Amino acid sequence: MDGKAAALQAIDSVRRYYQERGIFMRRWGFGRRPALVVIDMAYGWTDAAYATGSRRLDEAVEGIRRLLPLCRGRGVPVVYTTSPFRPEEDEEPMPRCADPSSRPWDARACEIDARLAPNPGELVIFKENASAFFGTHLAPYLVERGVDTVLVTGCSTSACVRATATDARAYRFRAVVPRQCVQDRCEAAHEYNLFDIDAKFGDVVDIEEAAAYLHGLPEEGAPGAS
């Protein structure tokens, strides 16, 4: 049995356990005012030349590219995160790799992939930890804009995506993860963490559901838009 099959088997077992006891698995739903958070889609993660990079993120790139124009056309705040690059410091954002063929972690590694380039005026947060909320001003930024729903996208499902979804719930935002807009280097970890996020902290939805929700919002400048 491969890793994904084992993960799906474990998920099925845990889902039955939750359902039998009537715990977790709550549906939170979409709110009235969303924001799109694009987590760590910088070259250090999207370019396989880096030890931390993976072509597995190409699907997430395409999913996010689909949502970006829908958000921008409706005035939905778009926020990016990445790691800071400080070459003068001893502690690097990512550990050195023993593979000499891997590209060293450099300033480009922290740049947002051009396929998802931020528009002028969109917030880019340089975070030090997994969650987009921890130690940053993301929560007050969203509150100031009346946001009640956070569309969590990017990488990786088992780390920064999960941490952000967990903290979004802690701050009482509705966390929604479009399945095709997140990815992980490990498919088994990806599947199990999507299930666990969906069970406890937010909603994992198909991208079609997220797109339909965004289509239903008033376009920027239209009556009712804010």
Side-chain angles (χ1 to χ4, degrees), residues 203-221:
D203 294 340
V204 176
V205 303
D206 189 87
I207 191 173
E208 298 296 339
E209 186 175 349
Y213 164 66
L214 292 170
H215 273 297
L217 298 175
E219 294 189 9
E220 190 170 25

Side-chain angles (χ1 to χ4, degrees), residues 32-34 70-77 145-146 214-226:
R32 298 180 60 186
R33 176 66 169 159
L70 295 177
C71 290
R72 289 165 173 162
R74 287 154 180 80
V76 171
R145 286 153 181 80
L214 292 170
H215 273 297
L217 298 175
E219 294 189 9
E220 190 170 25
S226 59

Side-chain angles (χ1 to χ4, degrees), residues 6 47 68 81-82 92 113 191:
D47 185 348
L68 279 171
T81 74
T82 185
E92 299 180 53
D113 191 308
E191 292 296 339

